Amino acid sequence: MKSIRVAVAAAAVGLALTACSSPLQAGAAAVVGKERISTSQLNADAEAYKAALKKNKLDETALGVPVTQYVLQRLADISAAEQLMARNNVQVTEKEIDAKLQDPGQYQSAEINLLALGVAPSYARDYARTAVGMAKLQQQAGQGGMDKLRQDFASIKTTFNPRFGVVNTNPSQENPALFIDAGRFGKATTPQARPQQQG
């Protein structure tokens, strides 16, 4: 499970998401560009992720961050990637999605690989579609176009519900939390320090 924690920290460090201060829609966990991630969707997907971890005998506390935050970050990434793909008219076939879902990555199992990436079965196909689509965009951009691609991705602004805290702009292996509690002098939120709220 240590390698999953490292994957979490690496994924968090690599993200280009930023939170802004525009008003949030009622019942939204986040608004990504023009797309809304509802609190009910987040809760359902977090439960699906927990169930998949349990089924594979993996301890959720080894993630180092609360499951709800981890799942919310992944859902926001997927939404931003889908919007960027739509802007660029990138198409992904069902066959390409199926192939991506069979990729074991650095693990012996494709299912474990998806869990290490923060992907629950409930949104695995969405994740695979965006992973393939973003790879196509990177290939089209080439080495010289990567900065513009990163800027285009970052231009899809994400506003998180303030109940999660403030986005941790400097996540690390030692401090992998995706949000920090602004009321606690920038202390990283943890499952113990900040209980999960239902909403």
Side-chain angles (χ1 to χ4, degrees):
M1 203 56 186
K2 182 179 176 187
S3 58
I4 288 184
R5 182 180 296 183
V6 172
V8 172
V13 170
L15 294 177
L17 293 175
T18 56
C20 54
S21 59
S22 62
L24 204 65
Q25 299 171 22
V31 175
V32 184
K34 299 175 184 176
E35 300 293 322
R36 176 180 177 272
I37 299 171
S38 71
T39 303
S40 59
Q41 176 193 354
L42 171 61
N43 291 339
D45 285 335
E47 288 306 312
Y49 185 71
K50 286 181 189 177
L53 287 174
K54 188 174 181 181
K55 176 186 165 204
N56 286 280
K57 298 180 174 59
L58 298 172
D59 180 7
E60 67 183 74
T61 61
L63 292 172
V65 296
V67 167
T68 303
Q69 290 185 14
Y70 194 29
V71 169
L72 177 58
Q73 186 76 73
R74 178 57 65 206
L75 292 173
D77 289 347
I78 290 170
S79 179
E82 286 174 340
Q83 292 175 63
L84 188 58
M85 287 164 57
R87 272 190 208 169
N88 291 277
N89 199 27
V90 174
Q91 303 297 318
V92 177
T93 67
E94 293 300 311
K95 188 175 179 180
E96 288 172 320
I97 292 171
D98 292 340
K100 184 66 180 175
L101 290 174
Q102 297 306 312
D103 180 7
Q106 62 179 330
Y107 303 94
Q108 294 179 348
S109 153
E111 187 174 10
I112 298 295
N113 184 50
L114 289 171
L115 291 173
L117 294 167
V119 179
S122 56
Y123 51 93
R125 292 195 75 77
D126 292 335
Y127 162 77
R129 180 179 296 105
T130 58
V132 172
M134 290 301 291
K136 288 182 177 184
L137 276 174
Q138 289 172 3
Q139 192 172 17
Q140 288 171 13
Q143 200 63 30
M146 289 305 292
D147 283 343
K148 184 179 185 311
L149 184 59
R150 277 191 281 271
Q151 289 170 3
D152 288 348
F153 187 85
S155 74
I156 301 170
K157 297 296 181 192
T158 299
T159 305
F160 292 103
N161 189 315
R163 77 177 173 96
F164 295 108
V166 178
V167 173
N168 181 3
T169 56
N170 295 305
S172 63
Q173 193 166 347
E174 294 75 30
N175 180 12
L178 304 174
F179 300 94
I180 54 176
D181 184 345
R184 296 192 181 154
F185 308 103
K187 181 180 177 184
T189 57
T190 64
Q192 294 78 25
R194 191 171 179 83
Q196 295 296 311
Q197 301 174 16
Q198 300 299 317

